[in-house]
């Protein structure tokens, strides 16, 4: 493993860091007190969309997208540097994230020339924002069980059914929808993927609010929704393969978050919070727990690097993806739990106080951290993958 960056990579980092410092409006930066990967209101959403447009005009959106689709055609290392700098600048998650990371690459892989011409150009500048319509009330981990039905009516489909946990659908213009087109086929073989305009008559988006109070995702209902045949993505009844492309990109972008800054803040909190008349940091048991978090974060960093090395060598994705997902999301939960232990009742008050000025940060950590153990494949599912494909354990 080579830890050095090449002069070109260093130059790329410097250029992006400098551009962010000069152009990122400070009031758009995340204060880390909330967990708003999806904007909390339309005004914030529109301001973030304008920010995406500014970034795009300067060539900083879709750095690894192929040049023919408007990207920079840069390599994986540039993407890693881009993410490190973007996160360090505390810049907001781009509203077009779902399209940039999941839907766009899926359309590039499976779309007809006509579909690529129509749908790809508006993605990079954020002119069209997408949602991912996969999960249903009885189809999450077992996604192939999905029941939303699309009936072939010649030149169009008629869609009826319901999706759930649809992140950002309250703002999205389009949705990549998985539907059942052949109810008689084995369940993986009767699914198709559709590109659906969310303004179409018969679609209702209803909010689902997280325990933090944040409106992150939605239920989306489809009642006799007409979708032109031209919007079928990939071959009819081959939607499972299309969705595999999307999920592969989703797993690649999940679990990559660094927890180092959070742990540093937690340690400084432990130095301030009183425990029996002394700072909590003086308690060797508490110190041990905090140090263990730091060790876990460091181990995670090297697992991430191992995963990157594998990608650089052009090797197929290894077990690191699932290991990263489980350990990264569960480390987030442990950080929240230690914050809860340090702050006691203060941890459940979503408001700063004289004793804990940054209480909202810890409230959100504590309450929101568990969602990452569910999205993009739950911890149990990741453990199944590790058990079966890495350790070779029997299925039953
Ligand atoms: C923050 C967030 C954002 C999301 N955004 C989107 C989105 O934009 N679009 C979208 O389509 N979906 C989205 N999802 C949904 C997500 O993909 C599902 O929640 C996830 O796949 C789990 O499915 P489920 O919720 O139906 O749980 P289930 O699959 O019903 O699982 C329930 C429990 O059973 C366990 N379990 C299930 N099967 C097994 C098994 N075989 N072995 C062991 N344990 C098992 C699970 O681990 C879990 O603990 C989002 C979820 C979250 C939390």
């Amino acid at each position: 493993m080579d830890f050095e960056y090449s002069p070109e990579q260093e130059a790329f980092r410097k250029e992006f860091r400098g551009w962010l410092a000069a152009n990122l409006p400070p009031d758009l930066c995340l204060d880390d007190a909330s967990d708003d990967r999806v904007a909390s209101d339309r005004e914030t959403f529109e301001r973030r969309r304008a920010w995406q447009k500014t970034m795009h005009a300067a060539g900083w959106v879709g750095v690894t997208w192929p040049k023919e689709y408007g990207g920079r055609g840069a390599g994986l290392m540039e993407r890693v540097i881009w993410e490190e700098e973007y996160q360090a600048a505390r810049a907001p998650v781009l509203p077009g994230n779902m399209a940039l990371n999941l839907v766009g690459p899926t359309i590039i892989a499976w779309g007809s020339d006509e579909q690529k011409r129509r749908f790809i150009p508006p993605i990079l500048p954020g002119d069209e924002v997408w949602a991912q319509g996969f999960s249903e009330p009885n189809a999450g981990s077992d996604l192939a069980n999905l029941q939303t039905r699309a009936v072939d009516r010649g030149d169009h489909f008629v869609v009826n059914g319901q999706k759930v946990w649809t992140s950002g659908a309250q703002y999205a213009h389009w949705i990549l929808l998985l539907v059942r087109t052949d109810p008689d086929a084995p369940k993986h073989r009767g699914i198709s993927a559709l590109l659906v305009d969310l303004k179409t008559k018969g679609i209702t988006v209803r909010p689902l609010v997280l325990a933090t109070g944040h409106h992150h995702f939605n239920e989306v209902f489809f009642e006799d929704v007409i979708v032109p045949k031209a919007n079928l993505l990939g071959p009819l009844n081959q939607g499972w393969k299309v969705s595999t492309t999307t999920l592969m990109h989703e797993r690649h972008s999940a679990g990559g978050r660094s927890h180092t800054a959070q742990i540093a803040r937690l340690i400084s909190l432990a130095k301030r919070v009183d425990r029996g008349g002394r700072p909590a940091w003086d308690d060797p048991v508490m110190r041990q727990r905090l140090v263990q978090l730091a060790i876990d974060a460091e181990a995670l960093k090297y697992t991430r690097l191992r995963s990157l090395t594998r990608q650089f060598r052009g090797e197929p994705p290894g077990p690191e993806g699932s290991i990263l997902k489980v350990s990264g999301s569960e480390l987030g939960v442990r950080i929240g739990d230690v914050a809860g232990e340090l702050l006691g009742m203060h941890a459940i008050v979503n408001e700063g106080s004289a004793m804990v000025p940054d209480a909202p940060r810890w409230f959100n950590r504590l309450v929101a951290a568990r969602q990452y153990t569910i999205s993009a494949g739950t911890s149990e599912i990741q453990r199944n993958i590790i058990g079966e494909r890495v350790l070779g354990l029997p299925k039953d």
Side-chain angles (χ1 to χ4, degrees):
M1 214 184 262
D2 180 3
F3 294 99
E4 298 299 316
Y5 294 100
S6 70
E8 294 76 26
Q9 287 161 355
E10 288 294 4
F12 178 84
R13 182 188 293 284
K14 200 169 155 215
E15 190 191 348
F16 188 38
R17 186 180 293 179
W19 187 85
L20 283 172
N23 292 281
L24 176 61
D27 60 339
L28 262 192
C29 291
L30 301 177
D31 58 6
D32 194 33
S34 53
D35 189 62
D36 54 349
R37 283 165 300 149
V38 171
S40 47
D41 52 55
R42 186 160 284 279
E43 192 197 334
T44 311
F45 168 75
E46 291 301 347
R47 291 198 59 221
R48 288 184 183 182
R49 212 147 72 96
W51 163 241
Q52 180 168 335
K53 212 178 243 315
T54 306
M55 285 192 65
H56 173 252
W60 290 114
V61 179
V63 286
T64 51
W65 273 42
K67 282 191 176 151
E68 59 176 310
Y69 297 113
R72 276 193 181 217
L76 178 61
M77 201 60 221
E78 280 71 19
R79 178 173 175 161
V80 172
I81 294 170
W82 187 98
E83 276 168 9
E84 283 175 0
E85 292 302 319
Y86 200 72
Q87 207 182 328
R90 293 183 300 140
V93 174
L94 294 175
N97 216 28
M98 189 74 87
L100 293 166
N101 292 333
L102 311 186
V103 179
T106 308
I107 296 177
I108 288 174
W110 288 93
S112 63
D113 290 344
E114 179 53 33
Q115 287 171 336
K116 288 185 208 173
R117 260 196 305 278
R118 163 62 190 87
F119 292 110
I120 293 296
I123 287 181
L124 288 177
D127 290 338
E128 284 180 353
V129 168
W130 285 75
Q132 177 192 15
F134 284 18
S135 305
E136 296 184 4
N138 289 313
S141 304
D142 184 13
L143 183 58
N145 195 38
L146 62 92
Q147 302 299 327
T148 294
R149 189 80 170 88
V151 177
D152 193 335
R153 293 269 188 258
D155 66 344
H156 65 271
F157 295 102
V158 176
V159 177
N160 280 285
Q162 183 203 339
K163 295 291 168 178
V164 73
W165 318 125
T166 323
S167 303
Q170 70 269 43
Y171 305 125
H173 305 97
W174 287 82
I175 186 165
L176 172 58
L177 197 67
L178 288 184
V179 290
R180 185 154 302 283
T181 34
D182 184 353
D184 301 322
K187 60 183 185 178
H188 291 82
R189 299 210 196 118
I191 293 170
S192 299
L194 298 179
L195 307 167
V196 181
D197 184 344
L198 276 167
K199 288 188 303 300
T200 317
K201 190 165 160 269
I203 300 181
T204 309
V205 177
R206 282 198 206 143
L208 284 170
V209 177
L210 290 170
T212 55
H214 181 46
H215 177 184
H216 176 99
F217 39 36
N218 305 271
E219 296 177 293
V220 185
F221 297 88
F222 298 82
E223 217 182 317
D224 294 331
V225 173
I226 293 177
V227 180
K229 274 274 178 69
N231 290 16
L232 173 69
L233 181 66
L236 187 70
N237 296 325
Q238 302 271 319
W240 188 251
K241 291 187 185 157
V242 177
S243 75
T244 305
T245 303
T246 316
L247 295 176
M248 192 187 75
H249 284 279
E250 184 171 48
R251 298 218 161 123
H252 254 248
S253 50
R257 205 180 153 84
S258 164
H259 294 283
T260 313
Q262 285 286 350
I263 295 168
R265 284 192 204 99
L266 198 57
I267 289 175
S268 76
L269 181 73
K271 291 180 177 169
R272 279 187 281 131
V273 168
D274 183 88
R275 261 202 164 187
R278 295 166 65 179
W281 179 249
D282 284 358
D283 173 357
V285 175
M286 178 51 75
R287 253 197 336 263
Q288 180 62 39
R289 293 194 63 189
L290 290 162
V291 168
Q292 190 60 52
L293 294 178
I295 293 168
D296 292 349
E298 199 63 10
L300 201 61
K301 185 173 103 187
Y302 288 103
T303 308
R304 193 175 300 126
L305 291 173
R306 273 212 312 280
S307 161
L308 276 174
T309 303
R310 193 186 269 273
Q311 290 177 56
F312 283 128
R313 289 184 184 147
E315 294 170 9
E320 292 88 359
S322 291
I323 296 170
L324 269 177
K325 171 71 184 30
V326 177
S327 356
S329 56
E330 298 203 345
L331 176 57
V333 172
R334 286 201 297 284
I335 292 172
D337 287 347
V338 173
E341 200 178 305
L342 275 172
L343 291 171
M345 284 206 307
H346 292 274
I348 50 167
V349 181
N350 192 9
E351 241 175 64
S353 63
M355 186 187 151
V356 196
D358 58 348
R361 164 181 298 139
W362 303 114
F363 168 83
N364 277 289
R365 261 317 89 218
L366 189 61
V367 178
R370 270 182 177 76
Q371 64 182 289
Y372 297 102
T373 66
I374 301 170
S375 57
T378 67
S379 288
E380 290 76 15
I381 294 300
Q382 303 301 336
R383 286 197 173 90
N384 283 351
I385 294 172
I386 296 167
E388 287 162 20
R389 297 196 205 148
V390 184
L391 303 175
L393 299 176
K395 265 192 159 202
D396 297 311

